[in-house]
């Protein structure tokens, strides 16, 4: 099983980003969540935070956690992790800047191997 985020540009100086967010629940019987973010104009931190926020938000919703969606990711992250229901969030992120007369592509991918 794999998840892929891809973004590209041929505009000189334009920032492109691709990110996969991961949220893992404490209970191994529960499914975790993945999210993908791809776009233009986001630096690495912004894309990474957005992807992690989306994955944790989807998992949190299924676990019945209520978190103010208007809060910053750093604030929501503390709520999710202090609940004891979500033990880990992470991201895989790549950004790039378009070069003159060239295409620039970013790719982020997560591959899961099952036993």
């Amino acid at each position: 099983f794999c998840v892929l985020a891809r973004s590209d540009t041929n505009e000189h100086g334009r920032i492109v980003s691709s990110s996969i967010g991961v949220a893992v629940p404490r209970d191994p019987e529960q499914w975790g969540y993945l999210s993908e973010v791809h776009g233009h104009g986001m630096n690495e931190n912004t894309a990474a935070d957005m992807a992690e926020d989306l994955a944790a938000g989807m998992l949190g919703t299924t676990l019945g956690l209520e978190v103010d969606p208007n809060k910053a990711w750093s604030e929501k992250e503390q709520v999710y992790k202090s609940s004891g229901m979500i033990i880990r969030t992470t991201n895989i992120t790549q950004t790039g800047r378009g070069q003159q007369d060239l295409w620039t592509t970013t790719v982020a991918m997560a591959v899961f191997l099952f036993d």
Side-chain angles (χ1 to χ4, degrees):
F1 178 73
C2 102
V3 176
L4 177 84
R6 175 182 161 265
S7 188
D8 52 34
T9 186
N10 66 346
E11 294 179 46
H12 178 70
R14 189 165 197 191
I15 298 172
V16 290
S17 56
S18 303
S19 186
I20 303 293
V22 180
V24 179
R26 177 169 301 287
D27 181 354
E29 298 298 315
Q30 295 273 345
W31 290 93
Y33 272 80
L34 299 171
S35 66
E36 86 176 73
V37 171
H38 45 87
H40 300 92
M42 290 185 282
N43 64 28
E44 183 174 357
N45 289 336
T46 301
D49 284 355
M50 183 180 289
E52 265 187 74
D53 188 3
L54 285 170
M58 290 186 288
L59 178 56
T61 298
T62 64
L63 297 174
L65 296 173
E66 293 186 25
V67 178
D68 183 354
N70 297 317
K71 288 187 177 184
W73 165 240
S74 58
E75 294 176 277
K76 290 192 274 187
E77 181 179 23
Q78 296 305 314
V79 173
Y80 288 131
K81 291 184 178 177
S82 68
S83 74
M85 299 173 100
I86 297 176
I87 59 167
R88 185 168 59 100
T89 62
T90 191
N91 68 81
I92 299 100
T93 303
Q94 183 63 56
T95 59
R97 184 176 300 275
Q99 301 297 310
Q100 187 69 38
D101 300 321
L102 295 173
W103 277 92
T104 300
T105 302
T106 59
V107 176
M109 180 170 44
V111 178
F112 293 91
L113 304 173
F114 297 98
D115 289 336

